[in-house]
Amino acid sequence: MRHRPLRRTARGNLPSELSGFIGRGAELAELGGLLEVSRLVTVTGVGGVGKSRLVLAAARSAAEDAREASEAQGAQGAHAPVEERYCDGVWLAELACVRDPALLELTLSEALGLTDHTTRPPRTVLAEHLADKRLLLVLDGFEQLVDETASLVRELLLRSPGLRVLAAGRRPLEVAGERTFPLAPPVPEEALALLEARVSAADPAFAASAADRAALVEVCARLDGIPLALELAAGRLRTLSPAQVLSRLEDRFGLLTGGARGGLPRHRTLRTAIGWSHELCTPAERLLWARLSVFAGQFDLDAAEYVCAGPDMPVEGVLDLVGELLAQSLLVREETAAGVRFRMLETVRLYGAGWLESLGDAVRLRRRHRDWYMGLATWCELDWFSPRQHEVAALVEAELPNLRLALECWLDEPDELHLGQYLAGTLWFYWAGCGRLTEGRHWLDRTLDPPGGQETQYEGSRLKALWVLGYVAALQGDATASMCALYECRDGAARSGNRVAAAYAVHRLGCLALVSDDMARARELLGEALEQYRAAGELNSNVLMCQVELGMALAFLGDLPGALALCGEVREICDERGERWTKAYALYVLAYAALEAGGTQEARRLLTECVEINHAFNDLVGLVLALELLALVTVAEGDPAEAAVLQGAAEPMWGGVGLQLFGSGYFNAPRLMCRERAGEVLGAERYAAYAAEGRELCRESLVVRALRGAARVPRPAGLGGVPGPRVSRSTARADQP
C-alpha cells in the first residue's frame, strides 16, 4: 500500500481575545475581501482608532477558515480539494516595542517560532523559511521602523509566493502592490455599543437610564467614537455618572484641543481624550503615569516600585496608584508565564513620556530603569542554577524589550560601556540555553566593538563578554570568531590574574574542539578547565556543562565507564540543585552509553526526559541531537518506519544548528546509522516516504510524538541486534545530505 504523508494543519500564535469584539462587521468583511485579492494589506489610522483589534479579528477569521478547510479535507479523504491558503498558519509579530532596526528580522523570526544557531543573517533565515510557506503574517505597530519594515516586507513577498501580509500602522508601507485600508472611528451606534459594553464589563450592575443614555451618546460624539478614547471614558464611568463625565469633558474640551499645528482633527481629539484622563488623575497618578513610560512593553510591580518610587512617591503607595491607573484603563493587566504583568498602551505611554520630558526627569528615570534590569539579569544568572530555571527563562523572555532598552542605554554612554558588556555577558544562559544565539551575538558584538571604538578600563566585564561571545560563536559554527574571542579572553585573564575568566576561556576552547571533532584536544582542554574551576571554587551550570562535555568526549573516544562516571555525577548534582538544562545533556551522554551497551529501554527512558527538557527551553542543539539518537533507539527496538519519521522530522532542524555540528562525524553518527539500518528493512522508497511524513510535522507535534513513544509497545524486533552509534568520521562526512 502506498504511503500517504500526513496533511498539514493550520497553526499560528494569535493571542486569545480578552474582551469582546464590538461592531466593525462591515470593515471586517471589506478587509477580508482585500486579502483575497492582494498579498499586502495595510490598515492605517490614528492611534487608538482600533487598528490592532481589527487586524487581529481578521487574522482570527482567516485562521478559523484555514482550520475548517483542513478538517473538511481530512473528513473527505485524500482526494478532497485542498484549500492551500494559510495552511502553514496565521502568525502575529508585534513591533511596537522594537526600536533597533537590527532586531526587526529577529522579532519576526521569534514570532514565527524560528530558532537559528548559525551565523546566517536573520533576513536570509526568514526568507528561506517562508520561501515555500503559505501563511498570513500580521505586523502590528511598525511606524518607528517604517522604512526597514517596508524593505523587509518587499523582499519577503518577492521571495515567498505563498505569503500574505496584513499590517497595522499609522501610515502605509508604500510597497508595490499594497492595498491600504484607512480605518475611521466606528459609526455612532457601534461606538455607543462599545462604550456600554465596556462600562457593563467594569460594573455589571450598571443600567443606563434615558438621561444616562443621552449623555453617553454625547460622550461618544465628543470623542469622535475613537475606541481608545471610549475605553478611557469607560474607566471613568466606574466612579462618575454619564452626566458628570460629559460635564467634565465639556469643561476641558476647548482647553485640551491643542497640539501640533495642522494636525488632523482626530489626532487632536485623541489627545483631548488622553489629556482629559490626565487632568482627571491626581498629581500622584500623573507622576506615576509619566514614570511608567520609561518601560518598554510589559513590567511587573517590583520593577514599577523600584524605578518609580522616591521621596515624592513612597514605595508602599505605588501598588494603590497602579490600581487606580488600571481602573481608569490607563494600564492593562496581563497574565503571563512570568506572572502578573502590566502594560501601557503605546499612545498612552507616549503621552506620559512627553510629560516626563517636560518634568526634566527623563534621564534620571531611564538610569533607574537601566539599573533595575542590570540587577534583574544578575539575579537571574545566579538563579539559573536552581529549581527556578523555567521561571527564570520565562521572566527573561517577558523582560526582553526592557533588557534591550537597557543595553541600548549603555551603548549610548561611552563611560559606562563596561556595564553593557557585563549585561550582555550575564545573559549567557538565555542566549545559549533558550535558543537566542543570534540575538546574543548581536549584543555581544555591539558592546565589544561599539561605534567610535570606545575603550573600557573595566577588564572583568570585557573578559566576561569575550568568553560568552566565544561560546555563542562556537555553537553557531563560527570557529574563527570563537577562537579570536577566546584567545583574547585567555590572554587578558592571564595578564590580570583573573582565574575564573581563564577557566571559562579554556572551557570554551574545549567546547570548540568538541564540536570540531578534535576529541583528543577536547579531552585535554575540558579536563584542564574542570581543574581550574574546582581550584577557583566555581560551581554552576557552566561548570557542570564542562563536565558533561568532557564525558561526551570520552564517550566518543570509547571510554564509556569514564563518561558514565562523569555524567552520572552531574545528573545527581542537577537533581539535588533542581538544574534541568545541563541535566538534559548529561542524559544524552548516558543514553548514548546505554545504547552502546544494548540497553534500548534505558536509552529511550533517558532520551524521553532529554527531549522534554530541551523543548521546554527551546534549546535546538540539544533537541535535535536527542531526537536523532531516539530515532536510532527506535530502529533498535524494531520499528524502522517510526524511526524514519523521527529522523525525517529532525533533518530540517539541522539547518538552524550550524555547519560545525552538521559536519561532525561523531554527532552525525546516530543519523547515519539510523538511515542505514532503517533503509535496509524499508527500502529506499518507503524510507523516503516515512521521512517525508516526518518533515511535515511541526516541532510541537514532533515532540508530542516522541514523548508518546515512551509509552508505546515496541513492535516485534525485525532488525536483529543493532550496534551502538559508533561510526568513522570519514563515513559520516561523506554521507551528508
Short mmCIF file of all heavy atoms in Angstrom, two decimals, residues 130-184:
data_model
loop_
_atom_site.label_atom_id
_atom_site.label_comp_id
_atom_site.label_asym_id
_atom_site.label_seq_id
_atom_site.Cartn_x
_atom_site.Cartn_y
_atom_site.Cartn_z
N LEU A 130 10.28 31.10 4.75
CA LEU A 130 8.99 31.45 4.16
C LEU A 130 8.88 31.12 2.68
O LEU A 130 7.79 31.21 2.11
CB LEU A 130 8.75 32.96 4.35
CG LEU A 130 8.56 33.43 5.79
CD1 LEU A 130 8.49 34.95 5.85
CD2 LEU A 130 7.29 32.83 6.40
N ALA A 131 9.99 30.73 2.07
CA ALA A 131 10.02 30.57 0.61
C ALA A 131 8.92 29.65 0.11
O ALA A 131 8.28 29.94 -0.91
CB ALA A 131 11.40 30.05 0.18
N ASP A 132 8.66 28.54 0.78
CA ASP A 132 7.66 27.58 0.31
C ASP A 132 6.44 27.51 1.22
O ASP A 132 5.66 26.57 1.15
CB ASP A 132 8.28 26.19 0.19
CG ASP A 132 8.78 25.67 1.53
OD1 ASP A 132 8.89 26.46 2.48
OD2 ASP A 132 9.08 24.47 1.63
N LYS A 133 6.27 28.52 2.09
CA LYS A 133 5.16 28.50 3.03
C LYS A 133 3.96 29.25 2.46
O LYS A 133 4.09 30.16 1.65
CB LYS A 133 5.57 29.15 4.36
CG LYS A 133 6.70 28.43 5.08
CD LYS A 133 6.30 27.05 5.54
CE LYS A 133 7.32 26.42 6.46
NZ LYS A 133 8.62 26.23 5.82
N ARG A 134 2.79 28.84 2.93
CA ARG A 134 1.55 29.54 2.59
C ARG A 134 0.94 29.98 3.91
O ARG A 134 0.30 29.19 4.62
CB ARG A 134 0.60 28.62 1.81
CG ARG A 134 1.21 28.09 0.51
CD ARG A 134 0.21 27.28 -0.30
NE ARG A 134 -0.86 28.11 -0.83
CZ ARG A 134 -0.76 28.81 -1.98
NH1 ARG A 134 0.35 28.75 -2.68
NH2 ARG A 134 -1.76 29.54 -2.40
N LEU A 135 1.17 31.22 4.26
CA LEU A 135 0.72 31.71 5.56
C LEU A 135 0.38 33.19 5.51
O LEU A 135 0.73 33.90 4.56
CB LEU A 135 1.77 31.43 6.64
CG LEU A 135 3.20 31.99 6.51
CD1 LEU A 135 3.26 33.45 6.92
CD2 LEU A 135 4.16 31.19 7.37
N LEU A 136 -0.27 33.64 6.56
CA LEU A 136 -0.60 35.05 6.74
C LEU A 136 0.26 35.59 7.88
O LEU A 136 0.24 35.06 8.99
CB LEU A 136 -2.08 35.23 7.07
CG LEU A 136 -2.53 36.67 7.36
CD1 LEU A 136 -2.36 37.55 6.13
CD2 LEU A 136 -3.99 36.69 7.84
N LEU A 137 1.02 36.65 7.59
CA LEU A 137 1.87 37.29 8.59
C LEU A 137 1.25 38.63 8.95
O LEU A 137 1.02 39.48 8.08
CB LEU A 137 3.28 37.50 8.03
CG LEU A 137 4.30 38.20 8.93
CD1 LEU A 137 4.51 37.42 10.22
CD2 LEU A 137 5.62 38.39 8.19
N VAL A 138 0.96 38.83 10.23
CA VAL A 138 0.33 40.05 10.72
C VAL A 138 1.39 40.90 11.41
O VAL A 138 2.05 40.43 12.35
CB VAL A 138 -0.82 39.73 11.70
CG1 VAL A 138 -1.50 41.01 12.14
CG2 VAL A 138 -1.83 38.78 11.06
N LEU A 139 1.58 42.13 10.95
CA LEU A 139 2.56 43.05 11.52
C LEU A 139 1.82 44.20 12.18
O LEU A 139 1.06 44.93 11.51
CB LEU A 139 3.50 43.60 10.43
CG LEU A 139 4.22 42.56 9.57
CD1 LEU A 139 5.07 43.26 8.52
CD2 LEU A 139 5.08 41.66 10.44
N ASP A 140 2.04 44.39 13.46
CA ASP A 140 1.32 45.43 14.20
C ASP A 140 2.30 46.41 14.83
O ASP A 140 3.19 46.02 15.59
CB ASP A 140 0.46 44.78 15.29
CG ASP A 140 -0.46 45.79 15.97
OD1 ASP A 140 -0.73 46.85 15.37
OD2 ASP A 140 -0.92 45.52 17.09
N GLY A 141 2.14 47.71 14.50
CA GLY A 141 2.92 48.75 15.16
C GLY A 141 4.31 48.96 14.59
O GLY A 141 5.29 48.92 15.32
N PHE A 142 4.41 49.22 13.28
CA PHE A 142 5.71 49.32 12.62
C PHE A 142 6.16 50.76 12.38
O PHE A 142 7.20 50.99 11.76
CB PHE A 142 5.65 48.61 11.26
CG PHE A 142 4.60 49.16 10.33
CD1 PHE A 142 4.82 50.32 9.60
CD2 PHE A 142 3.38 48.53 10.19
CE1 PHE A 142 3.85 50.84 8.76
CE2 PHE A 142 2.40 49.04 9.36
CZ PHE A 142 2.64 50.20 8.63
N GLU A 143 5.41 51.77 12.86
CA GLU A 143 5.64 53.16 12.46
C GLU A 143 7.07 53.64 12.68
O GLU A 143 7.64 54.37 11.86
CB GLU A 143 4.70 54.10 13.22
CG GLU A 143 3.24 53.88 12.97
CD GLU A 143 2.63 52.86 13.91
OE1 GLU A 143 3.41 52.20 14.64
OE2 GLU A 143 1.40 52.71 13.93
N GLN A 144 7.67 53.24 13.79
CA GLN A 144 9.00 53.74 14.13
C GLN A 144 10.08 53.14 13.25
O GLN A 144 11.22 53.63 13.24
CB GLN A 144 9.31 53.49 15.62
CG GLN A 144 9.56 52.04 15.98
CD GLN A 144 8.30 51.19 16.02
OE1 GLN A 144 7.20 51.68 15.79
NE2 GLN A 144 8.46 49.92 16.32
N LEU A 145 9.76 52.08 12.51
CA LEU A 145 10.72 51.43 11.62
C LEU A 145 10.09 51.22 10.25
O LEU A 145 10.25 50.17 9.63
CB LEU A 145 11.14 50.07 12.21
CG LEU A 145 11.92 50.08 13.53
CD1 LEU A 145 12.11 48.66 14.05
CD2 LEU A 145 13.28 50.74 13.34
N VAL A 146 9.38 52.23 9.77
CA VAL A 146 8.59 52.06 8.55
C VAL A 146 9.47 51.74 7.34
O VAL A 146 9.13 50.86 6.52
CB VAL A 146 7.70 53.29 8.29
CG1 VAL A 146 8.54 54.55 8.05
CG2 VAL A 146 6.77 53.04 7.11
N ASP A 147 10.61 52.40 7.20
CA ASP A 147 11.46 52.14 6.03
C ASP A 147 12.04 50.73 6.08
O ASP A 147 12.06 50.01 5.06
CB ASP A 147 12.59 53.16 5.96
CG ASP A 147 12.08 54.57 5.64
OD1 ASP A 147 10.99 54.67 5.04
OD2 ASP A 147 12.76 55.55 5.99
N GLU A 148 12.54 50.33 7.25
CA GLU A 148 13.12 49.00 7.38
C GLU A 148 12.06 47.91 7.21
O GLU A 148 12.32 46.87 6.58
CB GLU A 148 13.79 48.85 8.75
CG GLU A 148 15.00 49.74 8.95
CD GLU A 148 14.65 51.16 9.38
OE1 GLU A 148 13.43 51.45 9.52
OE2 GLU A 148 15.57 51.97 9.57
N THR A 149 10.86 48.15 7.76
CA THR A 149 9.78 47.17 7.62
C THR A 149 9.36 47.04 6.16
O THR A 149 9.13 45.93 5.66
CB THR A 149 8.57 47.58 8.48
OG1 THR A 149 8.99 47.74 9.84
CG2 THR A 149 7.48 46.53 8.40
N ALA A 150 9.25 48.17 5.46
CA ALA A 150 8.87 48.14 4.06
C ALA A 150 9.88 47.35 3.23
O ALA A 150 9.51 46.54 2.37
CB ALA A 150 8.74 49.56 3.52
N SER A 151 11.17 47.58 3.49
CA SER A 151 12.21 46.87 2.75
C SER A 151 12.12 45.36 2.99
O SER A 151 12.22 44.56 2.05
CB SER A 151 13.59 47.39 3.16
OG SER A 151 14.62 46.60 2.60
N LEU A 152 11.92 44.97 4.25
CA LEU A 152 11.84 43.55 4.58
C LEU A 152 10.60 42.91 3.96
O LEU A 152 10.67 41.83 3.38
CB LEU A 152 11.83 43.38 6.10
CG LEU A 152 11.70 41.95 6.62
CD1 LEU A 152 12.84 41.07 6.10
CD2 LEU A 152 11.67 41.94 8.15
N VAL A 153 9.46 43.57 4.09
CA VAL A 153 8.22 43.03 3.54
C VAL A 153 8.33 42.88 2.02
O VAL A 153 7.90 41.87 1.45
CB VAL A 153 7.03 43.92 3.91
CG1 VAL A 153 5.79 43.56 3.11
CG2 VAL A 153 6.72 43.81 5.41
N ARG A 154 8.92 43.87 1.37
CA ARG A 154 9.09 43.80 -0.09
C ARG A 154 9.90 42.56 -0.48
O ARG A 154 9.53 41.81 -1.38
CB ARG A 154 9.79 45.06 -0.59
CG ARG A 154 9.97 45.10 -2.11
CD ARG A 154 10.76 46.33 -2.54
NE ARG A 154 10.09 47.55 -2.14
CZ ARG A 154 10.51 48.38 -1.19
NH1 ARG A 154 11.61 48.08 -0.50
NH2 ARG A 154 9.85 49.48 -0.90
N GLU A 155 11.02 42.32 0.22
CA GLU A 155 11.86 41.18 -0.11
C GLU A 155 11.15 39.86 0.18
O GLU A 155 11.22 38.92 -0.63
CB GLU A 155 13.17 41.25 0.67
CG GLU A 155 14.11 40.08 0.39
CD GLU A 155 15.45 40.20 1.10
OE1 GLU A 155 15.78 41.31 1.57
OE2 GLU A 155 16.15 39.18 1.19
N LEU A 156 10.46 39.77 1.31
CA LEU A 156 9.79 38.52 1.66
C LEU A 156 8.68 38.19 0.68
O LEU A 156 8.48 37.04 0.30
CB LEU A 156 9.25 38.60 3.09
CG LEU A 156 10.29 38.69 4.21
CD1 LEU A 156 9.61 38.78 5.57
CD2 LEU A 156 11.25 37.51 4.17
N LEU A 157 7.93 39.20 0.25
CA LEU A 157 6.85 38.96 -0.71
C LEU A 157 7.40 38.52 -2.06
O LEU A 157 6.81 37.66 -2.73
CB LEU A 157 6.00 40.23 -0.87
CG LEU A 157 5.09 40.58 0.32
CD1 LEU A 157 4.46 41.94 0.11
CD2 LEU A 157 4.01 39.51 0.52
N LEU A 158 8.54 39.08 -2.45
CA LEU A 158 9.14 38.69 -3.73
C LEU A 158 9.64 37.25 -3.69
O LEU A 158 9.55 36.52 -4.69
CB LEU A 158 10.30 39.64 -4.08
CG LEU A 158 9.90 41.04 -4.55
CD1 LEU A 158 11.14 41.92 -4.68
CD2 LEU A 158 9.17 40.97 -5.89
N ARG A 159 10.17 36.83 -2.55
CA ARG A 159 10.79 35.51 -2.45
C ARG A 159 9.83 34.44 -1.95
O ARG A 159 10.18 33.26 -1.95
CB ARG A 159 12.01 35.58 -1.54
CG ARG A 159 13.10 36.51 -2.07
CD ARG A 159 14.30 36.57 -1.16
NE ARG A 159 14.96 35.28 -1.01
CZ ARG A 159 16.07 35.08 -0.30
NH1 ARG A 159 16.63 36.12 0.33
NH2 ARG A 159 16.61 33.89 -0.21
N SER A 160 8.64 34.82 -1.49
CA SER A 160 7.71 33.86 -0.90
C SER A 160 6.34 34.01 -1.56
O SER A 160 5.49 34.76 -1.07
CB SER A 160 7.59 34.09 0.61
OG SER A 160 8.86 34.20 1.20
N PRO A 161 6.10 33.32 -2.66
CA PRO A 161 4.83 33.50 -3.39
C PRO A 161 3.59 33.12 -2.60
O PRO A 161 2.49 33.58 -2.92
CB PRO A 161 5.01 32.61 -4.63
CG PRO A 161 6.10 31.65 -4.27
CD PRO A 161 7.00 32.36 -3.34
N GLY A 162 3.73 32.29 -1.59
CA GLY A 162 2.57 31.89 -0.80
C GLY A 162 2.33 32.76 0.42
O GLY A 162 1.44 32.47 1.23
N LEU A 163 3.10 33.82 0.57
CA LEU A 163 2.99 34.69 1.75
C LEU A 163 2.01 35.83 1.50
O LEU A 163 2.01 36.44 0.43
CB LEU A 163 4.37 35.27 2.08
CG LEU A 163 4.43 36.35 3.18
CD1 LEU A 163 4.06 35.78 4.53
CD2 LEU A 163 5.81 36.99 3.22
N ARG A 164 1.20 36.13 2.49
CA ARG A 164 0.37 37.33 2.51
C ARG A 164 0.64 38.07 3.81
O ARG A 164 0.89 37.45 4.85
CB ARG A 164 -1.12 37.00 2.37
CG ARG A 164 -1.47 36.51 0.98
CD ARG A 164 -2.91 36.09 0.82
NE ARG A 164 -3.11 35.53 -0.50
CZ ARG A 164 -3.72 36.17 -1.50
NH1 ARG A 164 -4.21 37.38 -1.31
NH2 ARG A 164 -3.84 35.58 -2.68
N VAL A 165 0.59 39.41 3.75
CA VAL A 165 0.92 40.24 4.90
C VAL A 165 -0.25 41.17 5.19
O VAL A 165 -0.76 41.85 4.29
CB VAL A 165 2.19 41.07 4.65
CG1 VAL A 165 2.47 41.99 5.84
CG2 VAL A 165 3.39 40.16 4.40
N LEU A 166 -0.66 41.18 6.44
CA LEU A 166 -1.68 42.11 6.93
C LEU A 166 -1.01 42.98 7.98
O LEU A 166 -0.54 42.48 9.00
CB LEU A 166 -2.86 41.35 7.53
CG LEU A 166 -3.97 42.18 8.19
CD1 LEU A 166 -4.58 43.15 7.19
CD2 LEU A 166 -5.03 41.26 8.78
N ALA A 167 -0.92 44.29 7.72
CA ALA A 167 -0.19 45.19 8.60
C ALA A 167 -1.12 46.23 9.19
O ALA A 167 -2.17 46.56 8.61
CB ALA A 167 0.95 45.88 7.83
N ALA A 168 -0.74 46.76 10.35
CA ALA A 168 -1.49 47.83 11.01
C ALA A 168 -0.52 48.90 11.45
O ALA A 168 0.44 48.61 12.17
CB ALA A 168 -2.27 47.28 12.21
N GLY A 169 -0.73 50.12 11.02
CA GLY A 169 0.16 51.21 11.38
C GLY A 169 -0.49 52.56 11.09
O GLY A 169 -1.57 52.64 10.48
N ARG A 170 0.19 53.61 11.49
CA ARG A 170 -0.38 54.94 11.30
C ARG A 170 -0.13 55.49 9.90
O ARG A 170 -0.63 56.57 9.57
CB ARG A 170 0.19 55.89 12.35
CG ARG A 170 -0.12 55.43 13.76
CD ARG A 170 0.20 56.46 14.80
NE ARG A 170 -0.01 55.91 16.15
CZ ARG A 170 0.02 56.63 17.25
NH1 ARG A 170 0.28 57.91 17.19
NH2 ARG A 170 -0.18 56.05 18.41
N ARG A 171 0.63 54.77 9.09
CA ARG A 171 0.89 55.19 7.72
C ARG A 171 1.13 53.96 6.87
O ARG A 171 1.45 52.89 7.40
CB ARG A 171 2.10 56.12 7.65
CG ARG A 171 3.35 55.55 8.28
CD ARG A 171 4.57 56.36 7.90
NE ARG A 171 4.84 56.28 6.47
CZ ARG A 171 5.80 56.96 5.87
NH1 ARG A 171 6.57 57.77 6.56
NH2 ARG A 171 5.99 56.84 4.57
N PRO A 172 0.97 54.06 5.56
CA PRO A 172 1.21 52.89 4.71
C PRO A 172 2.68 52.53 4.64
O PRO A 172 3.56 53.35 4.94
CB PRO A 172 0.69 53.35 3.33
CG PRO A 172 -0.13 54.57 3.58
CD PRO A 172 0.45 55.21 4.81
N LEU A 173 2.95 51.31 4.21
CA LEU A 173 4.33 50.88 3.99
C LEU A 173 4.86 51.38 2.65
O LEU A 173 6.07 51.50 2.45
CB LEU A 173 4.41 49.35 4.02
CG LEU A 173 4.31 48.71 5.40
CD1 LEU A 173 4.07 47.21 5.26
CD2 LEU A 173 5.56 48.97 6.22
N GLU A 174 3.95 51.67 1.70
CA GLU A 174 4.31 52.15 0.37
C GLU A 174 5.18 51.15 -0.38
O GLU A 174 6.21 51.49 -0.96
CB GLU A 174 4.99 53.53 0.46
CG GLU A 174 4.08 54.59 1.06
CD GLU A 174 4.73 55.96 1.13
OE1 GLU A 174 5.91 56.07 0.77
OE2 GLU A 174 4.04 56.91 1.54
N VAL A 175 4.74 49.90 -0.33
CA VAL A 175 5.37 48.82 -1.08
C VAL A 175 4.49 48.53 -2.30
O VAL A 175 3.26 48.58 -2.21
CB VAL A 175 5.52 47.55 -0.21
CG1 VAL A 175 5.99 46.36 -1.04
CG2 VAL A 175 6.49 47.82 0.93
N ALA A 176 5.12 48.24 -3.43
CA ALA A 176 4.37 47.96 -4.65
C ALA A 176 3.35 46.85 -4.41
O ALA A 176 3.67 45.82 -3.83
CB ALA A 176 5.33 47.56 -5.77
N GLY A 177 2.13 47.07 -4.86
CA GLY A 177 1.06 46.10 -4.70
C GLY A 177 0.28 46.24 -3.41
O GLY A 177 -0.68 45.51 -3.20
N GLU A 178 0.68 47.16 -2.55
CA GLU A 178 0.00 47.34 -1.26
C GLU A 178 -1.40 47.92 -1.47
O GLU A 178 -1.60 48.84 -2.25
CB GLU A 178 0.82 48.27 -0.37
CG GLU A 178 0.19 48.57 0.98
CD GLU A 178 1.01 49.58 1.78
OE1 GLU A 178 1.64 50.47 1.15
OE2 GLU A 178 1.02 49.49 3.01
N ARG A 179 -2.36 47.37 -0.74
CA ARG A 179 -3.70 47.95 -0.67
C ARG A 179 -3.89 48.51 0.73
O ARG A 179 -3.73 47.79 1.73
CB ARG A 179 -4.76 46.87 -0.96
CG ARG A 179 -4.68 46.26 -2.34
CD ARG A 179 -5.13 47.24 -3.42
NE ARG A 179 -6.55 47.57 -3.29
CZ ARG A 179 -7.52 46.88 -3.88
NH1 ARG A 179 -7.22 45.81 -4.63
NH2 ARG A 179 -8.78 47.23 -3.72
N THR A 180 -4.19 49.79 0.81
CA THR A 180 -4.38 50.42 2.11
C THR A 180 -5.86 50.42 2.49
O THR A 180 -6.73 50.48 1.63
CB THR A 180 -3.84 51.86 2.11
OG1 THR A 180 -4.52 52.61 1.10
CG2 THR A 180 -2.35 51.87 1.85
N PHE A 181 -6.09 50.35 3.78
CA PHE A 181 -7.45 50.34 4.32
C PHE A 181 -7.52 51.38 5.43
O PHE A 181 -7.25 51.08 6.59
CB PHE A 181 -7.80 48.95 4.85
CG PHE A 181 -9.22 48.80 5.32
CD1 PHE A 181 -10.23 48.50 4.43
CD2 PHE A 181 -9.55 48.97 6.65
CE1 PHE A 181 -11.54 48.36 4.86
CE2 PHE A 181 -10.85 48.84 7.10
CZ PHE A 181 -11.86 48.53 6.19
N PRO A 182 -7.83 52.65 5.09
CA PRO A 182 -7.92 53.69 6.12
C PRO A 182 -9.10 53.37 7.05
O PRO A 182 -10.23 53.19 6.60
CB PRO A 182 -8.16 54.97 5.32
CG PRO A 182 -7.76 54.63 3.91
CD PRO A 182 -8.06 53.18 3.74
N LEU A 183 -8.81 53.31 8.33
CA LEU A 183 -9.83 52.95 9.31
C LEU A 183 -10.35 54.19 10.01
O LEU A 183 -9.58 54.89 10.69
CB LEU A 183 -9.26 51.96 10.33
CG LEU A 183 -10.25 51.42 11.36
CD1 LEU A 183 -11.37 50.63 10.68
CD2 LEU A 183 -9.55 50.54 12.39
N ALA A 184 -11.62 54.46 9.86
CA ALA A 184 -12.26 55.57 10.55
C ALA A 184 -12.84 55.07 11.86
O ALA A 184 -13.00 53.86 12.06
CB ALA A 184 -13.36 56.15 9.67
#
